[in-house]
Amino acid sequence: MSGILDLLNSDLGKQIIGGVSNEVGEDQNKTASVLSMALPVLMGAMKRNASSPEGAEGLNRALEKKHDGSILDNLAGLFGGGVDQEVKDDGDGILGHVLGNSRQNVESAISKKSGINASSIGNILKVAAPLLMGMLGKQKRQQNVQSSSGIGDLLGGLLGGGGSSNQAPQQQSFIESILDGDNDGSVLDDIAGMFFGGGDKKDNNSGGGGLGGLLGGLFGGK
């Protein structure tokens, strides 16, 4: 099964990147970099939330109904003339639910890594969150996941195996920079372990980044 960043690098993903980029007025490459950092973090937080039966059932209901993947069926219509405020409000609600008190910290960390101001990061994520939910809903249908008990496996498969690339310490350092920003016991506390299997903590400030680097770092490249 394709990981979330493989999907982001597909034709559908490129259409999403172009649409989000035009919507928020940011460079496409920078938008791709932001999404390649943010989407795994959001999915990791969802996976943590779905570790409880109640959380898994709530996500399953959302993917059965409102976020069934139909938002992806007409992206030209979604982005043509600007994204509806209703979609952005939906994204705002998703981010609040998934990230909780860590939301500002996540946006700030991605801002520092990408060089895009935090306000623009927030706008990108408000548009991207419903699309991510749509991707999950589409995968749920394609894989015939019928019950909430399969939601964790669905998310785990899309997050991928973590890879063994030399880029991994750099990406672990980025995730840790988010997690170290506060000590509120947030849902993000275990995301680094989800990506990297609890490997050694290393500092790496050697730069890099971008969609290709993150694809290589998180999923071992191709």
Side-chain angles (χ1 to χ4, degrees):
M1 178 174 57
S2 297
I4 188 63
L5 297 186
D6 295 313
L7 292 174
L8 193 60
N9 205 31
S10 68
D11 290 340
L12 174 65
K14 291 172 183 176
Q15 191 176 358
I16 288 172
I17 290 167
V20 173
S21 171
N22 290 336
E23 175 67 24
V24 300
E26 291 289 349
D27 175 78
Q28 283 201 23
N29 289 333
K30 287 187 175 182
T31 300
S33 182
V34 167
L35 293 175
S36 65
M37 286 184 269
L39 296 189
V41 172
L42 292 176
M43 288 194 62
M46 288 180 191
K47 190 172 188 295
R48 175 69 182 270
N49 289 345
S51 64
S52 71
E54 297 82 4
E57 180 57 33
L59 181 56
N60 188 55
R61 284 198 306 268
L63 298 180
E64 286 278 358
K65 298 177 181 178
K66 187 173 186 179
H67 300 289
D68 61 356
S70 57
I71 192 173
L72 304 175
D73 294 340
N74 184 19
L75 290 177
L78 175 69
F79 291 118
V83 175
D84 289 344
Q85 187 61 42
E86 181 180 354
V87 174
K88 296 177 184 178
D89 290 344
D90 183 34
D92 189 51
I94 293 168
L95 295 171
H97 178 74
V98 169
L99 297 177
N101 293 335
S102 293
R103 180 174 174 178
Q104 184 176 358
N105 196 42
V106 168
E107 292 176 356
S108 176
I110 294 174
S111 172
K112 290 176 183 176
K113 185 73 174 178
S114 66
I116 298 176
N117 68 67
S119 176
S120 292
I121 297 296
N123 290 333
I124 289 173
L125 297 189
K126 285 178 188 177
V127 178
L131 294 169
L132 175 59
M133 290 291 286
M135 290 182 190
L136 294 176
K138 185 175 182 180
Q139 288 291 314
K140 181 181 185 298
R141 288 206 317 264
Q142 289 179 347
Q143 296 176 42
N144 197 31
V145 176
Q146 297 290 335
S147 68
S148 59
S149 61
I151 291 297
D153 290 339
L154 173 68
L155 288 165
L158 285 166
L159 278 167
S164 57
S165 166
N166 292 332
Q167 291 276 349
Q170 178 187 335
Q171 308 315 326
Q172 181 175 7
S173 178
F174 167 69
I175 298 296
E176 288 169 352
S177 76
I178 295 177
L179 307 185
D180 290 344
D182 58 33
N183 298 302
D184 63 357
S186 75
V187 296
L188 296 181
D189 287 346
D190 291 339
I191 289 181
M194 290 178 187
F195 286 140
F196 305 105
D200 294 337
K201 182 174 181 178
K202 297 180 181 179
D203 291 323
N204 189 326
N205 297 315
S206 60
L211 182 58
L214 283 150
L215 283 167
L218 291 173
F219 296 97
K222 289 186 177 179

